[in-house]
Amino acid sequence: MTDYTRIIKDGLWDNNIIFVQSLALCPLLAVTGSASNGLGMGLATTSVLVASGAMVSIFREIITPQVRIPVFVLIIAVLVTLVDMSMNAWTHDLHKVLGLFIPLIVTNCAILGRAESFASRNKVAPAAFDGLMMGLGFTLALVILGAAREMLGSGTLFANAHLLLGGWASFLELELIPDYKGFLLIILPPGGFLVLGFILAGKRLIDRALAERKAKSAAVPASAPSNA
Amino acid sequence: MRAVAEPSYRKRVGYQAMLLGGFATLATIFLLAGHMATKDVIKLRNQEDLLASLNEVIPASLYNNDLLANPLEIDDAQGHPVTVYRGAQGTQITAVAYEITGQGYAGEIRLIMGLDATGKVLGIRVLSHAETPGLGDKIEVQKTDWILGFNGLSLGNPPLEQWKVKKDGGQFDSFSGATITPRGVLKAIAQGLLFFKDHRTELTNPLVVESTSTPAH
């Protein structure tokens, strides 16, 4: 039996690629100077994750353990190249911004990790769904980090979102602090590490608060009968 | 499920080789199909990009030809081929544009430079660079208008030895906190101007209109 709720929770929160597994930090730090770039990179990675999950799962019965890694890498490399080519053709302006990092999706160890630990052991539908959720979790992390760095570093939010989503997305583009001189450190890679550190700490705090609340609510029904 | 014994043929080297070969073939087919589907669009997009940057440095009023048609290939002083795009009124060359590169603080700075037929700068724009945001990126026209300060100047106005930042004894400002970037840009511009001087006759030769479309009587 496949537990889809579990997959959603794992992908978005409990086993999030960035926040928990701490994988794929290279693309994370490289592209999250702005929220739009983070979103674009996240969506590109998600499409690769979904497709690679499905492909690996389809062929899981015929792939032998001895040659599985080269086959997985081949599948992922083909998918990334296809994404790279289609972005160059159809979202050309975004490709000019992200172009350098798209080929790096191949080296995103999270994709090989999911192929190995989930897709190769599960049916096609849950494998693709796991790819989608892991990808969305990754996108979420990129957007949060990108938005935080963009606000602190450049004083804008979702600048250039129209390059990614088309003209209708201009309403997302905010200039939060007019005449902001910029905070260079946050835009540069060290800023990425700093902001990521605070976000990780924030997640730990939320998790602890959740666990405490759970422990309390578990304790109440248990003690209620004895009070009565 | 894993308890079921694997069929013995799967352990043979031949099976593994077939498997890898099969996947490699599939991969090739997919990549070929993807390439076929996207190559024309990508080429078109790249040409649009090129034309857009050429239009930044050659005013539209100066030419009435297709800038991308019949570019010249000339080797520069270092022996690297330079592609020169020419703007013309009829067959008379009115402007040329070509790419120049300089060494910045963090790698190459690629610029495109447009000159009129007398060698006067029409415009210079940065195509790509990896300079520090907030310091070296002031060479971008979106950030400051520093790069516009070269318009209308030419080799001789000022003379070659003045095409440097003030710190090096030239006449151009650099930015506070970044000297290497403008220095690299100025070196590239000076080389570009010398390239024009060395190849002036070649570059301004009247455009040869190809008569392939009109058969001779």
Side-chain angles (χ1 to χ4, degrees):
Chain A
M1 270 305 286
T2 325
D3 186 353
Y4 283 95
T5 334
R6 187 74 248 149
I7 294 179
I8 296 177
K9 272 190 178 166
D10 266 349
L12 294 182
W13 191 260
D14 289 348
N15 205 10
N16 186 293
I17 291 177
I18 298 293
F19 295 149
V20 179
Q21 304 182 54
S22 293
L23 292 173
L25 295 184
C26 162
L28 178 85
L29 297 171
V31 302
T32 53
S34 78
S36 303
N37 286 1
L39 185 61
M41 185 69 176
L43 293 179
T45 309
T46 305
S47 61
V48 174
L49 266 168
V50 172
S52 78
M55 296 286 276
V56 165
S57 176
I58 289 172
F59 294 114
R60 73 187 185 285
E61 300 292 347
I62 62 164
I63 299 171
T64 56
Q66 290 86 346
V67 294
R68 69 184 196 285
I69 298 293
V71 171
F72 293 168
V73 171
L74 193 61
I75 290 175
I76 294 166
V78 169
L79 292 169
V80 170
T81 313
L82 290 177
V83 168
D84 186 33
M85 289 194 289
S86 12
M87 282 186 70
N88 197 351
W90 293 296
T91 53
H92 190 70
D93 287 320
L94 184 71
H95 189 268
K96 274 190 270 181
V97 182
L98 294 178
L100 201 57
F101 305 109
I102 298 295
L104 285 179
I105 299 178
V106 177
T107 65
N108 186 332
C109 37
I111 299 178
L112 189 60
R114 288 328 282 174
E116 170 81 6
S117 67
F118 195 93
S120 63
R121 288 165 201 183
N122 286 279
K123 294 211 177 80
V124 179
F129 190 68
D130 175 73
L132 178 67
M133 283 304 138
M134 281 290 160
L136 288 181
F138 183 60
T139 309
L140 181 76
L142 287 177
V143 172
I144 291 177
L145 191 60
R149 286 176 71 187
E150 192 181 346
M151 281 190 279
L152 294 171
S154 334
T156 58
L157 190 59
F158 281 107
N160 294 328
H162 66 278
L163 295 184
L164 175 64
L165 302 166
W168 64 269
S170 329
F171 78 92
L172 282 172
E173 300 178 15
L174 300 176
E175 195 176 345
L176 298 172
I177 314 170
D179 275 337
Y180 190 51
K181 294 283 178 243
F183 185 6
L184 189 56
L185 176 69
I186 299 294
I187 295 295
L188 294 176
F193 279 113
L194 283 174
V195 177
L196 179 64
F198 282 114
I199 291 176
L200 288 181
K203 185 193 181 279
R204 291 282 167 90
L205 285 179
I206 295 175
D207 275 344
R208 189 190 292 166
L210 286 177
E212 271 171 14
R213 194 195 293 171
K214 208 174 179 184
K216 222 177 263 171
S217 61
V220 169
S223 58
S226 68
N227 283 350
Chain B
M1 276 197 284
R2 292 268 153 188
V4 181
E6 270 190 79
S8 63
Y9 70 86
R10 292 185 56 159
K11 295 211 178 78
R12 293 217 192 104
V13 175
Y15 177 81
Q16 322 261 10
M18 289 274 292
L19 195 65
L20 277 180
F23 273 101
T25 316
L26 270 181
T28 316
I29 292 170
F30 272 108
L31 287 183
L32 265 179
H35 178 64
M36 302 288 248
T38 54
K39 72 170 179 198
D40 291 335
V41 192
I42 292 176
K43 201 173 156 201
L44 200 69
R45 292 285 106 80
N46 287 338
Q47 283 194 339
E48 283 170 12
D49 281 357
L50 182 59
L51 198 60
S53 49
L54 287 176
N55 278 326
E56 291 266 300
V57 295
I58 303 181
S61 57
L62 273 184
Y63 67 93
N64 57 12
N65 65 325
D66 177 7
L67 289 179
L68 297 181
N70 311 315
L72 282 179
E73 285 269 347
I74 301 175
D75 285 351
D76 66 8
Q78 284 82 39
H80 302 300
V82 177
T83 310
V84 181
Y85 300 94
R86 295 173 294 174
Q89 300 269 18
T91 59
Q92 185 67 41
I93 301 290
T94 50
V96 292
Y98 43 87
E99 207 179 284
I100 52 179
T101 49
Q103 196 57 41
Y105 180 69
E108 260 186 3
I109 305 172
R110 288 172 53 232
L111 306 110
I112 191 155
M113 171 169 176
L115 300 173
D116 72 3
T118 63
K120 217 167 17 163
V121 174
L122 293 170
I124 300 169
R125 292 291 181 281
V126 178
L127 294 175
S128 71
H129 71 88
E131 302 306 291
T132 318
L135 295 174
D137 67 352
K138 288 176 188 151
I139 53 174
E140 287 176 30
V141 75
Q142 293 90 337
K143 301 273 157 65
T144 69
D145 47 15
W146 181 79
I147 200 84
L148 302 178
F150 301 104
N151 293 359
L153 302 179
S154 60
L155 203 60
N157 169 34
L160 179 61
E161 55 284 0
Q162 289 287 306
W163 283 89
K164 288 175 181 157
V165 291
K166 279 183 180 151
K167 217 178 225 176
D168 298 343
Q171 73 160 45
F172 296 98
D173 288 325
S174 52
F175 331 118
S176 56
T179 317
I180 297 171
T181 310
R183 188 181 280 159
V185 171
L186 272 157
K187 200 170 166 201
I189 295 174
Q191 276 173 359
L193 290 169
L194 282 175
F195 175 80
F196 182 83
K197 188 178 146 229
D198 292 346
H199 300 278
R200 185 166 181 168
T201 41
E202 252 175 292
L203 293 177
T204 52
N205 256 346
L207 208 59
V208 183
V209 180
E210 284 175 21
S211 50
T212 45
S213 55
T214 49
H217 290 286

